[in-house]
Amino acid sequence: MADASPRTDTSTDADTEDKNLRFQNNQLQATVASDGSDKSRDQKTLRRLAQNREAARKSRLRKKAYVQQLESSRMKLTQLEQELQRARQQGIFISSSGDQSQSVGGNGALAFDVEYARWLEEHNRRINELRGAVNSHAGDGELRIIVEGIVAHYDDIFRIKGDAAKADVFHILSGMWKTPAERCFLWLGGFRSSELLKLLINQLEPLTEQQLLAINNLQQSSQQAEDALSQGMEALQQSLAETLAGSLGPSSSSGNVANYMGQMAMAMGKLGTLEGFIRQADNLRQQTLQQMHRILTTRQSARALLAISDYFSRLRALSSLWLARPRE
Amino acid sequence: METVRELASKKAAVIFTKSSCCMCHSIKALFYELGASPAVHELDQDANGREIERALRSLGCNPAVPAVFIGGQFVGSAKDVISLHLDGSLKQMLINAKAIWF
């Protein structure tokens, strides 16, 4: 249906478009009903109808594209708003014109978030390298190098977390540096090794009797250690609550003021021990990973590391879906 | 140091703690979970507390509490205990020292 005349946009509204077509069809029938000398008019009408159809189709496509663009912009906007919210919570001053940003006291938190993002990127790169090696049936030697690299790389993040906990223990405890779905499973500023091992046991077959026993023992031991640390944390909470409640009561007496100060000082001391708990929890995670690596063969370790990484990737993907979900 | 050695050899499992220390609470909980009944010495309730604390630090225990001894031997602080528990050594040590039987 090639022709040189310029196409015009007849309508963007389906109803109007339908009416147009119906009107044109009626016109056409009327034209056909008359005698043959109107053949050239028929041709013109047919051409015009074809042009209209084409224009309407193009218009619909443009509208679809526009709506899709709006949707993705909306998602982006939501993400940006959340980032802004997060940044504000961390005490970063963001002016309304958006062209200035200074950190105010939230420096430790933001710096850690950035370092963690960088570590994660490098981790994913290594995992992809491992996946490639496994899929291409690489030899044990090559696999071992990559696997050891990943295990050593885990050491990096535990060290970084340790430093960050010294600067801002509550940021680490909050889990705000992780995605929402990961935060569901937060325990003392990170993941639960015992749960991870439970997930892995099915993925790791075939295991020898010895290995199965060792992995089960490791899972049980890490769970016992986790429970012990949890109990310590509960004791800390209780102790903190008692300390602060102890300073309640009839006010305005110099003895009470001194009491208040003393109790605040004690409470401060207790808060200071939180960092120790995070450190032991991270130590637990690190040791469990290393112990697991010792129990398994290189190939099994490779599979385990891939499974762990995939699991956390899914949690992060779930978080993204959640954040982008349509809301009324 | 003598006090420490003496106290440490009195029972198969001995833990030095402070009543205000919540990490000590964790380590005690772990021992109870394993079925051990460690002797617990709270330094802030002990007349020789300061001296014992100094001795523990000189053994390399930092923080000084919790400090764990099994079969009279210095095992370490919280971090060491957890590491040993994860590789199965802690249980074995407790069995060898007859603090537990299985």
Side-chain angles (χ1 to χ4, degrees), chain A residues 14-235:
Chain A
D15 283 341
T16 321
E17 191 181 290
D18 278 347
K19 274 196 218 134
N20 246 348
L21 279 173
R22 253 180 281 127
F23 177 69
Q24 282 156 11
N25 270 334
N26 291 338
Q27 288 283 66
L28 181 58
Q29 278 164 13
T31 318
V32 165
S34 62
D35 61 43
S37 65
D38 292 333
K39 258 201 193 111
S40 65
R41 222 173 48 194
D42 292 349
Q43 298 252 3
K44 272 200 197 146
T45 311
L46 278 173
R47 200 163 60 216
R48 194 170 18 97
L49 288 177
Q51 283 174 23
N52 284 346
R53 274 199 296 277
E54 193 54 36
R57 189 180 73 91
K58 289 230 157 91
S59 166
R60 280 196 296 275
L61 285 173
R62 276 200 298 276
K63 181 178 179 182
K64 190 174 178 196
Y66 179 61
V67 168
Q68 274 175 350
Q69 209 181 46
L70 276 181
E71 300 272 59
S72 68
S73 294
R74 196 173 74 119
M75 259 172 61
K76 205 167 182 197
L77 184 65
T78 313
Q79 277 173 8
L80 283 174
E81 278 174 351
Q82 269 151 2
E83 278 181 48
L84 198 63
Q85 171 86 326
R86 229 175 289 146
R88 282 220 179 89
Q89 275 173 2
Q90 291 169 6
I92 297 169
F93 169 73
I94 297 180
S95 73
S96 51
S97 63
D99 59 355
Q100 272 179 27
S101 70
Q102 309 155 17
S103 58
V104 177
N107 214 7
L110 187 61
F112 173 70
D113 287 5
V114 167
E115 281 201 87
Y116 174 66
R118 218 176 280 155
W119 178 87
L120 194 57
E121 204 180 315
E122 171 65 15
H123 173 75
N124 287 332
R125 189 194 66 77
R126 287 172 185 262
I127 287 288
N128 283 333
E129 191 188 355
L130 181 61
R131 205 190 313 273
V134 168
N135 289 341
S136 65
H137 308 291
D140 266 25
E142 187 186 333
L143 273 184
R144 182 147 26 97
I145 293 174
I146 304 176
V147 164
E148 311 260 301
I150 294 175
V151 173
H153 190 235
Y154 266 111
D155 289 348
D156 284 357
I157 192 57
F158 288 122
R159 184 183 34 86
I160 294 170
K161 268 180 91 182
D163 293 340
K166 281 199 185 70
D168 187 349
V169 67
F170 287 102
H171 177 63
I172 301 296
L173 267 176
S174 75
M176 288 308 289
W177 48 282
K178 282 185 182 258
T179 63
E182 288 175 289
R183 255 176 266 149
C184 262
F185 300 91
L186 196 70
W187 174 78
L188 272 183
F191 60 85
R192 265 188 202 268
S193 307
S194 63
E195 286 302 315
L196 217 60
L197 285 173
K198 264 193 223 161
L199 294 172
L200 282 182
I201 284 182
N202 297 327
Q203 311 279 335
L204 287 177
E205 278 142 32
L207 292 171
T208 66
E209 286 283 321
Q210 223 172 5
Q211 282 179 322
L212 193 57
L213 186 64
I215 291 283
N216 275 318
N217 284 340
L218 180 62
Q219 196 267 322
Q220 190 185 43
S221 300
S222 64
Q223 191 152 349
Q224 285 167 334
E226 282 165 18
D227 291 345
L229 287 176
S230 293
Q231 286 186 51
M233 274 296 276
E234 276 170 36

Side-chain angles (χ1 to χ4, degrees), chain A residues 233-265:
Chain A
M233 274 296 276
E234 276 170 36
L236 179 58
Q237 269 185 325
Q238 189 135 343
S239 172
L240 191 59
E242 279 168 15
T243 302
L244 289 177
S247 58
L248 294 173
S251 52
S252 65
S253 121
S254 59
N256 279 338
V257 169
N259 245 358
Y260 178 86
M261 306 274 272
Q263 263 139 3
M264 277 297 164

Side-chain angles (χ1 to χ4, degrees), chain A residues 224 228-229 232 236 280 283 287, chain B residues 22-23 26 29 79 85-87:
Chain A
Q224 285 167 334
L229 287 176
L236 179 58
Q280 294 309 327
N283 178 48
Q287 297 290 320
Chain B
C22 295
M23 188 56 73
S26 284
K79 181 176 178 178
H85 183 50
L86 288 174
D87 69 16

Side-chain angles (χ1 to χ4, degrees), chain A residues 217-218 220-222 224-225 227-233 235-237 239 270 273 276-277 279-280 283-284 287-288 291 294, chain B residues 19-34 62-63 77-80 82-88 91:
Chain A
N217 284 340
L218 180 62
Q220 190 185 43
S221 300
S222 64
Q224 285 167 334
D227 291 345
L229 287 176
S230 293
Q231 286 186 51
M233 274 296 276
L236 179 58
Q237 269 185 325
S239 172
K270 296 206 183 294
T273 64
F277 276 95
R279 204 164 355 115
Q280 294 309 327
N283 178 48
L284 173 53
Q287 297 290 320
T288 306
Q291 188 60 21
R294 256 174 248 139
Chain B
S19 57
S20 58
C21 168
C22 295
M23 188 56 73
C24 299
H25 189 99
S26 284
I27 298 301
K28 277 191 285 181
L30 184 61
F31 272 70
Y32 297 145
E33 174 65 32
L34 294 176
N62 192 21
S77 190
K79 181 176 178 178
D80 306 301
I82 290 175
S83 302
L84 289 169
H85 183 50
L86 288 174
D87 69 16
K91 222 178 191 181

